[in-house]
Amino acid sequence: MKGLSIPHHMSPVKPAKKDIKGFITLIVVLLLFGILIFGILELTTKPKTPATSEQVWNTIVAQGYEPEDISDKYHSQDTESKNSLLKCIAFENSDVHFEFFELNNDSMAQNIYSQFHRKIVDNYHASHIIETENKQANFVIYTLDNGEKYNVAICVGNTAVYANCDSKNKDKINIILDTIDYLKA
């Protein structure tokens, strides 16, 4: 017996060098594409600097309103807020209502934002609305204007804002938010 002849369709398969090179090239291209996308997002989505309670207080006063520290109101309602709420600054003037929360962590600020976002959607959503939501870096900005009421929920780092007013007076809220750099992305 000379040796067995293995039919071609049964011969052992050797990995082709072309396949390995193609696979490595694909991985490198995908990795570079991922780095490029990450870089673009990083350049276009800069984190916002959370405002301090003092900055917000001074901004409210500069607009002619009388702010109050209502932290105790929230501390008495919720034991969890006693541990996380550093300060809540608020004012109410005619139809304008504004609350600013400074917390000891970003997670609690996100929770407060989510509660007020849900409240706005549940109470003010109508068929004729202008609604915006912008999530980037360390912030999320949500506004809803149904033609009668203007509502805002914002989270920036460890802070949150809830505000509302009649639609015709939304500039009163927006001036404060613009001054502390919370309204624009």
Side-chain angles (χ1 to χ4, degrees), residues 1-12:
M1 271 203 209
K2 267 187 165 177
L4 293 176
S5 174
I6 300 175
H8 178 20
H9 69 278
M10 296 180 72
S11 64

Side-chain angles (χ1 to χ4, degrees), residues 12-168:
V13 178
K14 294 182 182 177
K17 287 185 179 182
K18 286 184 180 180
D19 289 344
I20 292 172
K21 285 181 180 179
F23 180 72
I24 291 173
T25 303
L26 177 64
I27 299 254
V28 169
V29 168
L30 289 175
L31 185 61
L32 290 174
F33 183 72
I35 291 170
L36 177 67
I37 294 296
F38 179 76
I40 290 170
L41 289 175
E42 192 63 29
L43 290 174
T44 60
T45 59
K46 297 200 183 278
K48 288 186 173 289
T49 302
T52 65
S53 296
E54 185 179 338
Q55 285 174 298
V56 174
W57 185 281
N58 293 338
T59 300
I60 291 170
V61 168
Q63 292 304 312
Y65 301 111
E66 295 181 25
E68 294 179 63
D69 180 347
I70 63 167
S71 305
D72 289 339
K73 170 188 164 189
Y74 283 100
H75 288 155
S76 66
Q77 292 177 357
D78 182 11
T79 56
E80 188 176 350
S81 76
K82 282 184 182 179
N83 299 326
S84 58
L85 179 64
L86 301 174
K87 181 105 36 193
C88 182
I89 310 261
F91 76 88
E92 209 148 331
N93 183 291
S94 184
D95 66 300
V96 180
H97 175 86
F98 184 95
E99 293 182 39
F100 172 84
F101 301 85
E102 184 175 8
L103 299 116
N104 66 5
N105 65 67
D106 294 6
S107 172
M108 286 304 296
Q110 186 66 40
N111 287 344
I112 288 175
Y113 163 81
S114 295
Q115 290 173 25
F116 284 117
H117 176 266
R118 174 61 32 215
K119 177 180 179 178
I120 292 168
V121 170
D122 289 348
N123 292 325
Y124 297 105
H125 205 273
S127 58
H128 301 313
I129 61 170
I130 299 171
E131 179 179 38
T132 63
E133 185 170 33
N134 192 342
K135 293 181 183 182
Q136 293 185 27
N138 69 334
F139 64 94
V140 58
I141 303 167
Y142 176 79
T143 63
L144 185 144
D145 188 343
N146 70 1
E148 293 177 24
K149 281 288 193 186
Y150 176 67
N151 296 271
V152 178
I154 298 174
C155 177
V156 177
N158 68 320
T159 65
V161 171
Y162 168 68
N164 66 40
C165 64
D166 291 343
S167 291
K168 65 183 179 190

